[in-house]
Amino acid sequence: MKTFRRLFTYLAPYRIFLVVGLGAAVVATLLHLGPPYLIKIIIDKVLVQKNLSLLNYLILALIGLYLLRSGFTTLQIIYINKVQQGLIFDLRNEAHQHLQRLSLSYFEKRQSGRIVSRVVNDVEALQAIISSGGVTLVIALVTLVGSLIILIHLNPKLTLLAMIPIPALTFLVSSFSKKAHKGYRRMRRRLADINALLQENIAGIREIKSFRQEKLRQEKFAGKGGGYYQANMAVIRIWSVFFPLIMLMSALGTVIVLWYGGRAAIAGDLTIGGLVAFVSYLGLFYTPINQLNQVNNIFQHGRAAGERIFAIIDAVPEVKEKKRAIASNLPLAGKIKFNNVSFSYGTGKKKKEVLHQITFTANPGELVAFVGASGSGKSTIVSLIPHFYNINEGSITIGNYDIKDLKLKHLRQNIGMVLQEPFLFNGTVLENILFGKPGASKEEVVEAAKTANAHNFIQELELGYETEVGERGVKLSGGEKQRITIARVILKNPPILILDEATSSVDSEAEILIQEALEHLMKGKTNFVIAHRLSTIRNATKILVIADGRIVEEGTHWELLAKKGSYYRLYQMQFQFGDT
Ligand SMILES: Nc1ncnc2c1ncn2[C@@H]1O[C@H](COP(=O)(O)OP(=O)(O)OP(=O)(O)O)[C@@H](O)[C@H]1O
Ligand SMILES: [Mg+2]
């Protein structure tokens, strides 16, 4: 009930459409109840009494009824669909909007295909709740009550007999729905499995091909498909038993009525037309009971889908802004300070501390560099500055503010990041650079691209800045992608810069050019740079050597060399292999 009540609140903006649509459905249904009565009159008054002139009037009335019914049905379809399409439009948007608000940890814990499945398939499955569910329910109830009234009017005693199968029918319907809900839930989950795997197989198609994994991936996919098949068949098996049983019960009613009614007609207690009309209305009366069962089926399905969507909408972001978080349009400038920061990914038992008591400061105009082995925690440290994750202990401050007290928007507006794995969005080169500053002029974009040493290669692309980069930027080389992400940050021009291996995928020549550009960009800003190639950070104000989540050495390039510690060893190694 909770899921339905909640869904109901989403209908509020469409109240008027809903009223018109349901109203039309009710009128169309009432019109549907007319014809059997006219048929009764045709039999009793026209056929039996051979009254030809009455026949014409009745036929005209019948045509009128059918035409009206068609008109109202059209109205019903249009308005109900306005409601239902509106509902899924709103729900999908809300789910997507909320997803964007959720923290990174949410996405790290889940397969993206599963999330996609909820936002696409489960929302879609909800559609049926309105048209095939709600409307059918109203039609069924009107038909049920309407035909019951007419049945009683036609013959009360016969009506009573026709009610014999009702208790059994009700029992069947309710036990079916209990069984079905579980099955539907399983179906939704299995469908998400398929989506998750499919998405992964498409994203990883290069790896699949190069490792010749096609067959195994296909087998795995067939396995997931089989799961969905099984889940579907389980529901269908339940349905295959219940549906015929329900039909059987209503047939039983008709048989009783024909037996008793036939005797009554012969005895003269009932006209022939009366009996024909009674059986027709009885059909109308039992149909809704079958329909109610189907409605239930759809509601159970919708409920399973609704629960899954609301689970997204209700997910609480791990990183939450305080109620009175500070926001301003002024640039955030000032000393950035990590004070005894400890951090771990994940929650609960899986929690393993990756950073231990990290303490350092960075002033505007300074360049703080992180070096250290792969997996030592460099990327993790810088990802804490934009408050991507909550820390366990300690504090991170910018000027006088603890970043916990700042509005995320305000904080992140002031930070420019070039991430270790460059990511481009499907769209043009121009759009991708504009990501850094929506609304910037073409000149500004070109300027930024020139600074990032990207302008030349962009111009050589088929359509220049209007070239589509493909999903995730697949149509560009690694180094090209990287330069576009650098141009993005140059365009944004924030007071705090974070460059995680920003020039790792360009050749040495390009690196020197970009390095120059970046040095220009870094002037007066607070800069954090992670670099494997030590040559690029020789000028750093401060180099922090990280090992196993701790700062093990700290100083300038020359100080650290003189120390002959781990930095010295790293440097020696690179020197030896000619990289520096
Ligand atoms: N999202 C995550 N969830 C859980 N653990 C993570 C996550 N990201 C990184 N880790 C773990 O945290 C540790 C530090 O990772 P981090 O990415 O900060 O290393 P790094 O120093 O940047 O390495 P590299 O030089 O290879 O980029 C590693 O042990 C890694 O396995
Ligand atoms: Mg890293």
Side-chain angles (χ1 to χ4, degrees):
M1 259 342 254
K2 222 172 63 199
T3 311
F4 291 128
R5 220 175 302 140
R6 188 145 170 211
L7 274 172
F8 218 74
T9 60
Y10 282 85
L11 295 178
Y14 305 103
R15 235 170 315 175
I16 296 176
F17 294 156
L18 193 65
V19 169
V20 174
L22 287 181
V26 170
V27 175
T29 312
L30 289 176
L31 291 170
H32 191 61
L33 287 174
Y37 208 85
L38 287 178
I39 291 167
K40 168 183 163 22
I41 301 174
I42 289 176
I43 294 175
D44 287 346
K45 299 272 155 66
V46 177
L47 297 183
V48 175
Q49 298 174 11
K50 304 207 188 315
N51 183 347
L52 209 58
S53 63
L54 187 60
L55 181 66
N56 295 337
Y57 287 118
L58 288 173
I59 292 299
L60 276 178
L62 207 57
I63 292 174
L65 274 183
Y66 284 138
L67 281 177
L68 271 175
R69 198 181 70 184
S70 307
F72 278 102
T73 306
T74 304
L75 216 61
Q76 167 205 325
I77 292 174
I78 289 178
Y79 279 88
I80 290 303
N81 272 284
K82 279 189 178 202
V83 178
Q84 136 181 326
Q85 296 304 327
L87 171 81
I88 60 173
F89 176 78
D90 292 347
L91 258 177
R92 198 169 270 158
N93 277 336
E94 186 175 344
H96 182 259
Q97 195 181 23
H98 191 74
L99 275 175
Q100 308 233 321
R101 231 179 279 144
L102 289 170
S103 309
L104 292 186
S105 55
Y106 182 88
F107 300 94
E108 286 163 2
K109 270 186 242 153
R110 288 166 180 80
Q111 274 177 287
S112 45
R114 280 177 205 280
I115 303 177
V116 171
S117 190
R118 287 185 188 222
V119 178
V120 178
N121 303 99
D122 289 328
V123 171
E124 207 70 39
L126 268 185
Q127 294 216 49
I129 274 201
I130 310 280
S131 63
S132 323
V135 176
T136 314
L137 179 69
V138 168
I139 292 177
L141 288 178
V142 171
T143 315
L144 201 69
V145 174
S147 51
L148 183 65
I149 291 171
I150 301 173
L151 283 175
I152 293 173
H153 165 80
L154 285 173
N155 194 318
K157 204 165 168 194
L158 213 51
T159 309
L160 211 60
L161 282 172
M163 296 300 133
I164 291 174
I166 299 291
L169 273 174
T170 334
F171 170 76
L172 282 174
V173 169
S174 79
S175 48
F176 170 73
S177 63
K178 267 193 217 113
K179 282 202 162 62
H181 181 62
K182 262 199 205 134
Y184 284 124
R185 236 190 238 169
R186 206 165 24 226
M187 263 169 72
R188 307 309 312 166
R189 275 202 298 269
R190 293 293 95 89
L191 185 59
D193 287 346
I194 293 182
N195 280 321
L197 191 67
L198 178 63
Q199 216 227 2
E200 201 174 42
N201 285 352
I202 292 171
I205 190 72
R206 282 159 204 266
E207 283 77 4
I208 293 176
K209 284 187 188 299
S210 71
F211 286 101
R212 307 277 333 271
Q213 289 288 311
E214 291 94 338
K215 201 160 154 252
L216 270 175
R217 296 308 285 191
Q218 170 52 31
E219 275 165 17
K220 205 166 170 185
F221 187 78
K224 299 287 182 199
Y228 186 55
Y229 173 90
Q230 294 296 349
N232 260 305
M233 283 312 290
V235 173
I236 288 167
R237 267 194 296 275
I238 302 173
W239 179 238
S240 70
V241 174
F242 278 89
F243 186 64
L245 266 180
I246 286 162
M247 289 207 314
L248 201 67
M249 284 297 145
S250 32
L252 181 70
T254 313
V255 169
I256 296 173
V257 163
L258 274 178
W259 176 71
Y260 188 86
R263 297 165 76 99
I266 291 169
D269 296 342
L270 193 67
T271 63
I272 298 173
L275 182 62
V276 171
F278 196 94
V279 174
S280 302
Y281 281 114
L282 195 61
L284 284 183
F285 178 75
Y286 285 139
T287 316
I289 297 178
N290 279 335
Q291 277 174 342
L292 286 180
N293 186 35
Q294 285 173 37
V295 166
N296 206 331
N297 201 1
I298 287 159
F299 278 164
Q300 297 315 322
H301 204 158
R303 188 172 132 206
E307 283 168 357
R308 293 164 57 84
I309 297 155
F310 289 135
I312 288 188
I313 293 177
D314 293 340
V316 181
E318 187 217 38
V319 177
K320 266 209 292 201
E321 283 176 349
K322 289 193 173 159
K323 274 223 175 67
R324 299 225 184 134
I326 300 156
S328 87
N329 290 324
L330 295 175
L332 263 182
K335 182 186 283 191
I336 297 183
K337 206 167 156 189
F338 271 57
N339 196 355
N340 263 315
V341 173
S342 312
F343 170 76
S344 28
Y345 285 106
T347 44
K349 278 192 190 130
K350 278 185 260 169
K351 214 159 157 167
K352 191 181 130 252
E353 204 171 84
V354 259
L355 296 181
H356 323 275
Q357 282 112 42
I358 301 288
T359 301
F360 67 87
T361 54
N363 288 308
E366 286 187 352
L367 166 58
V368 173
F370 299 90
V371 300
S374 182
S376 55
K378 306 177 297 289
S379 296
T380 307
I381 295 178
V382 295
S383 73
L384 298 179
I385 302 172
H387 204 174
F388 281 158
Y389 305 95
N390 286 328
I391 55 178
N392 301 349
E393 273 170 65
S395 66
I396 302 170
T397 54
I398 302 181
N400 296 323
Y401 302 115
D402 189 313
I403 60 163
K404 277 191 300 200
D405 300 328
L406 294 172
K407 264 206 182 313
L408 293 173
K409 188 178 147 200
H410 176 45
L411 173 66
R412 291 173 187 170
Q413 203 166 286
N414 284 280
I415 300 174
M417 293 186 102
V418 176
L419 299 175
Q420 199 165 9
E421 286 146 24
F423 188 97
L424 299 186
F425 289 86
N426 193 19
T428 63
V429 170
L430 183 72
E431 284 164 351
N432 268 289
I433 300 179
L434 276 175
F435 218 72
K437 185 181 170 190
S441 69
K442 176 83 189 269
E443 286 70 42
E444 284 177 277
V445 170
V446 172
E447 201 50 47
K450 278 184 179 156
T451 315
N453 203 8
H455 180 70
N456 285 342
F457 90 78
I458 294 173
Q459 272 200 317
E460 277 165 27
L461 294 173
E462 212 177 320
L463 298 169
Y465 282 84
E466 298 302 330
T467 312
E468 297 280 337
V469 300
E471 196 181 22
R472 281 171 283 126
V474 285
K475 294 184 189 165
L476 298 176
S477 79
E480 288 167 346
K481 267 190 278 191
Q482 207 159 42
R483 276 176 279 171
I484 289 179
T485 59
I486 292 173
R488 225 185 234 171
V489 171
I490 292 175
L491 188 64
K492 184 174 178 181
N493 197 20
I496 300 165
L497 264 183
I498 297 170
L499 308 172
D500 193 347
E501 305 277 355
T503 53
S504 59
S505 11
V506 294
D507 56 54
S508 310
E509 202 177 328
E511 179 165 25
I512 292 167
L513 288 169
I514 300 172
Q515 204 65 41
E516 275 171 20
L518 287 176
E519 268 161 33
H520 191 65
L521 179 73
M522 285 179 187
K523 279 214 177 76
K525 301 196 162 77
T526 316
N527 305 291
F528 300 92
V529 170
I530 298 175
H532 270 134
R533 263 182 261 179
L534 302 182
S535 56
T536 56
I537 50 161
R538 218 177 298 187
N539 300 328
T541 327
K542 193 187 295 173
I543 296 170
L544 303 175
V545 183
I546 313 294
D548 289 327
R550 282 176 219 282
I551 300 178
V552 290
E553 267 177 41
E554 182 174 347
T556 63
H557 175 71
W558 297 111
E559 282 167 7
L560 290 177
L561 281 187
K563 223 177 185 177
K564 300 220 176 254
S566 34
Y567 182 81
Y568 176 79
R569 278 195 298 278
L570 269 173
Y571 188 79
Q572 286 293 314
M573 242 181 324
Q574 289 198 357
F575 194 71
Q576 224 167 7
F577 293 109
D579 203 4
T580 314

